[in-house]
Amino acid sequence: MVYLTRKEHFNAAHQVVNKNWSDEKNKAVFGKCANKNWHGHNYDLYVTVKGIPNQETGFIMNVKELSSIIKERVLEKLDHKNLNLDVPELKDKFPTTENLSVEIWKLLEPHINECKLHCIRLWETENIYTEYFGE
Ligand code: NI
């Protein structure tokens, strides 16, 4: 089994609050992500697929095609968007990096046919990332 990773990048705005909590509690738990007037993150997205190299190409899948799928299915939906307002998949969910990585998996998984999706790794800052393996 060989693992292949494509890196992509997008920017998006969000606000993370629990509507049942006070402003103070939201600020205490979510910190700057609770800012009332939104804020942005520069997300680095690493999509890893796994498979056996094809006999005729040596590829698990064509990485250009993988990039096109990510752009079409994920970046079109998320890049330069407000995650709270513009993304139906995140409606009524906390737009955290955790939930975002799960939604990105759901957007991509049906379109990876030549091999299998293995991992969504999403960097929110240079110090924090999540990984989702589909379970
Ligand atoms: Ni944030």
Side-chain angles (χ1 to χ4, degrees):
M1 190 70 71
V2 183
Y3 297 78
L4 170 71
T5 300
R6 172 76 197 188
K7 180 189 176 191
E8 300 287 349
H9 181 82
F10 63 94
N11 307 306
H14 76 171
Q15 179 202 42
V16 185
V17 292
N18 184 321
K19 288 171 188 160
N20 299 319
W21 292 354
S22 67
D23 288 353
E24 280 154 12
K25 186 166 181 185
N26 274 312
K27 200 178 273 184
V29 172
F30 297 112
K32 288 180 176 176
C33 282
N35 183 43
K36 279 189 172 171
N37 291 324
W38 318 106
H39 64 281
H41 289 282
N42 294 310
Y43 292 97
D44 281 325
L45 170 62
Y46 292 79
V47 176
T48 302
V49 296
K50 64 181 174 184
I52 307 294
N54 181 290
Q55 292 278 358
E56 290 179 336
T57 62
F59 293 163
I60 298 169
M61 75 175 286
N62 188 315
V63 81
K64 274 189 190 167
E65 195 197 329
L66 178 57
S67 178
S68 298
I69 294 169
I70 298 167
K71 285 190 173 109
E72 184 183 338
R73 303 292 168 179
V74 176
L75 303 192
E76 288 279 327
K77 201 174 263 288
L78 303 179
D79 191 30
H80 285 69
K81 298 291 171 61
N82 181 313
L83 299 177
N84 298 71
L85 303 178
D86 298 332
V87 183
E89 287 81 354
L90 289 168
K91 195 172 183 289
D92 302 323
K93 291 183 181 144
F94 293 100
T96 58
T97 308
E98 289 90 329
N99 283 337
L100 200 47
S101 56
V102 172
E103 293 308 315
I104 290 171
W105 175 287
K106 288 184 195 164
L107 290 170
L108 286 176
E109 202 274 334
H111 305 285
I112 309 286
N113 300 316
E114 293 170 56
C115 57
K116 283 204 157 84
L117 184 58
H118 173 65
C119 178
I120 300 300
R121 179 188 285 193
L122 186 62
W123 288 82
E124 180 186 277
T125 71
E126 62 184 53
N127 300 316
I128 299 169
Y129 68 84
T130 58
E131 284 176 310
Y132 183 60
F133 298 91
E135 58 187 36

